[in-house]
C-alpha cells in the first residue's frame, strides 16, 4: 500500500477550564488515534504556571514538536504547534496580514522526514470575528502564496481553524471556486470530498463549551484539512476523513470547544 500520512487538526482552546481533564482527553485521544502529525491551534505557555501545552503533549505521546508564538497571553504566549511521529527537519512562521498587538496571525510550516520523502505540512488560525471576512481573504491569499513558493511533486497539507464557513469567499478561494485578488488556486477539502452531503460542524451547539462565545454563532464548519491537487500517480489522494474528539467523557467533558478532524493522505505514488 502506498505510504500515507495520518493528519489530525485540533484547536486546543488554550487554558480554559476544566484544563487538566481536557488535556487528559486530548492526550488519550492522540494516543488512541495514532496520527503521524497533529496541527494544534490556541496552544498556551505561561512561564511559572503553565508549561507549553504542545511540548507537554509531545512528551506524553513520544512525538517531536515545533511551536511558534502568535500573541502575548497572561504573561506568556498563545501560538500554533505541530506534533509529529517523524522528525521535523525545519519549521518556519510566516506573518499574515492585518496583525494587531492582540490578534496576530501566522502560518506555521514544517518539513517532515517521512520514510520515503520529505513533506511540508502547514497550520494556521485566522481572524475569528464574523465581520472579518475581508481580513481572512487577505490571509488566505498570503497562505496560498507561501505554499506555492514550496510547490513541487509532493503533496502539501494545510490544516487549522479558518473561522469561516465553506460558503465564504475565503474558503471558496482555497477550494478553487472563486477568484480573490485576481488569482485562482485549488486545494482539496478533505471533509467535503469524503462527506459531500454532511454538514461537518466542528464548532457546534452539541458542545456546551461553545456557549461561552455564543455571539460567534454555533453550528459551523470552520476547521479544515486541505491538500494540494491529486497527482495522476496517486499522490495527494485523500483516503479518508472523519471527525474526532467530538464526544464527551463519561462526566460530560469535551477535549475542546472545537471538534477535531483526522484525514489520511497518500504521499507516495501508487504501485504501477
Amino acid at each position: 500500500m502506498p505510504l500515507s500520512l495520518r493528519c489530525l487538526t485540533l484547536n486546543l482552546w488554550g487554558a480554559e477550564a476544566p484544563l487538566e481533564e481536557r488535556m487528559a482527553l486530548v492526550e488519550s485521544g492522540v494516543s488512541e488515534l495514532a496520527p503521524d502529525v497533529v496541527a494544534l491551534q490556541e496552544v498556551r505557555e505561561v512561564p511559572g504556571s503553565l508549561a507549553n501545552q504542545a511540548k507537554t503533549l509531545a512528551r506524553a505521546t513520544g512525538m517531536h514538536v515545533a511551536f511558534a508564538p502568535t500573541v502575548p497571553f497572561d504573561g506568556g504566549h498563545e501560538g500554533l504547534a505541530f506534533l509529529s511521529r517523524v522528525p521535523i527537519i525545519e519549521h518556519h512562521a510566516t506573518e499574515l496580514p492585518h496583525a494587531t498587538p492582540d490578534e496576530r496571525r501566522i502560518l506555521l510550516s514544517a518539513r517532515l522526514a517521512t520514510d520515503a520523502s520529505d513533506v511540508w505540512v502547514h497550520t494556521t488560525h485566522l481572524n475569528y470575528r464574523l465581520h472579518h471576512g475581508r481580513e481572512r481573504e487577505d490571509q488566505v491569499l498570503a497562505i496560498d502564496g507561501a505554499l506555492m513558493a514550496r510547490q513541487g511533486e509532493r503533496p502539501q497539507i494545510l490544516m487549522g481553524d479558518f473561522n469561516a464557513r465553506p460558503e465564504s469567499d475565503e474558503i471558496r478561494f482555497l477550494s478553487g471556486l472563486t477568484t480573490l485578488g485576481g488569482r485562482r488556486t485549488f486545494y482539496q477539502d478533505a471533509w467535503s470530498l469524503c462527506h459531500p452531503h454532511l454538514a461537518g460542524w466542528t464548532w457546534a451547539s452539541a458542545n456546551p463549551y461553545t456557549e461561552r462565545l455564543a455571539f460567534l454563532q454555533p453550528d459551523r464548519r470552520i476547521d479544515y484539512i486541505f491538500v494540494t491537487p491529486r497527482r495522476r500517480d496517486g499522490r495527494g489522494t485523500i483516503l479518508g476523513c472523519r471527525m474526532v474528539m467530538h464526544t464527551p467523557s463519561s462526566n460530560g467533558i469535551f477535549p475542546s470547544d472545537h471538534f477535531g478532524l483526522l484525514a489520511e493522505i497518500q504521499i507516495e505514488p501508487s504501485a504501477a
Side-chain angles (χ1 to χ4, degrees):
M1 179 176 181
L3 182 65
S4 62
L5 207 64
R6 287 168 57 83
C7 301
L8 168 66
T9 185
L10 178 69
N11 183 313
L12 207 54
W13 201 34
E16 298 297 327
L19 180 59
E20 185 175 343
E21 294 89 340
R22 290 198 307 102
M23 290 303 98
L25 291 174
V26 174
E27 180 186 330
S28 63
V30 170
S31 297
E32 291 168 9
L33 293 167
D36 298 300
V37 60
V38 182
L40 296 172
Q41 306 87 46
E42 291 192 21
V43 177
R44 300 271 175 86
E45 62 173 8
V46 181
S49 62
L50 179 64
N52 184 291
Q53 292 173 292
K55 293 178 181 178
T56 299
L57 285 169
R59 285 193 296 270
T61 56
M63 301 178 81
H64 303 274
V65 62
F67 171 78
T70 52
V71 293
F73 202 96
D74 283 348
H77 288 94
E78 179 174 288
L80 304 178
F82 280 113
L83 309 180
S84 175
R85 297 200 183 277
V86 299
I88 299 172
I89 301 171
E90 59 179 312
H91 67 278
H92 305 284
T94 301
E95 188 92 9
L96 298 183
H98 306 290
T100 68
D102 297 324
E103 191 166 8
R104 174 177 171 262
R105 304 296 178 171
I106 66 170
L107 174 75
L108 176 60
S109 303
R111 185 160 64 101
L112 308 183
T114 68
D115 289 344
S117 59
D118 299 346
V119 175
W120 279 100
V121 294
H122 313 266
T123 186
T124 195
H125 184 197
L126 303 187
N127 278 33
Y128 75 93
R129 292 171 178 83
L130 296 175
H131 63 281
H132 274 190
R134 185 67 183 83
E135 286 82 351
R136 288 189 293 272
E137 288 179 9
D138 290 342
Q139 289 167 352
V140 297
L141 282 167
I143 288 169
D144 179 58
L147 268 68
M148 290 304 99
R150 295 189 173 95
Q151 189 173 17
E153 291 300 312
R154 300 182 182 95
Q156 296 188 68
I157 301 159
L158 170 63
M159 300 176 274
D161 175 2
F162 289 74
N163 279 309
R165 297 174 181 268
E167 60 267 29
S168 67
D169 283 344
E170 50 269 41
I171 301 301
R172 283 169 49 79
F173 169 73
L174 292 174
S175 302
L177 299 174
T178 194
T179 299
L180 287 181
R183 285 168 45 193
R184 295 294 289 251
T185 194
F186 174 75
Y187 298 85
Q188 302 174 84
D189 175 351
W191 178 267
S192 177
L193 187 67
C194 296
H195 309 284
H197 304 299
L198 296 181
W201 295 330
T202 55
W203 175 259
S205 56
N207 186 334
Y209 297 153
T210 62
E211 294 174 4
R212 304 185 193 185
L213 294 173
F215 69 95
L216 291 177
Q217 299 178 354
D219 297 333
R220 293 183 294 147
R221 181 159 76 93
I222 61 176
D223 300 86
Y224 298 84
I225 297 176
F226 291 108
V227 184
T228 49
R230 176 180 177 177
R231 299 281 180 171
R232 290 186 179 184
D233 62 11
R235 285 177 293 181
T237 300
I238 297 169
L239 303 174
C241 181
R242 61 189 174 101
M243 196 174 295
V244 295
M245 300 190 188
H246 60 303
T247 55
S249 65
S250 58
N251 54 349
I253 296 172
F254 285 83
S256 172
D257 59 344
H258 286 244
F259 298 152
L261 284 179
L262 179 72
E264 185 169 1
I265 297 131
Q266 182 177 328
I267 60 172
E268 285 301 310
S270 302

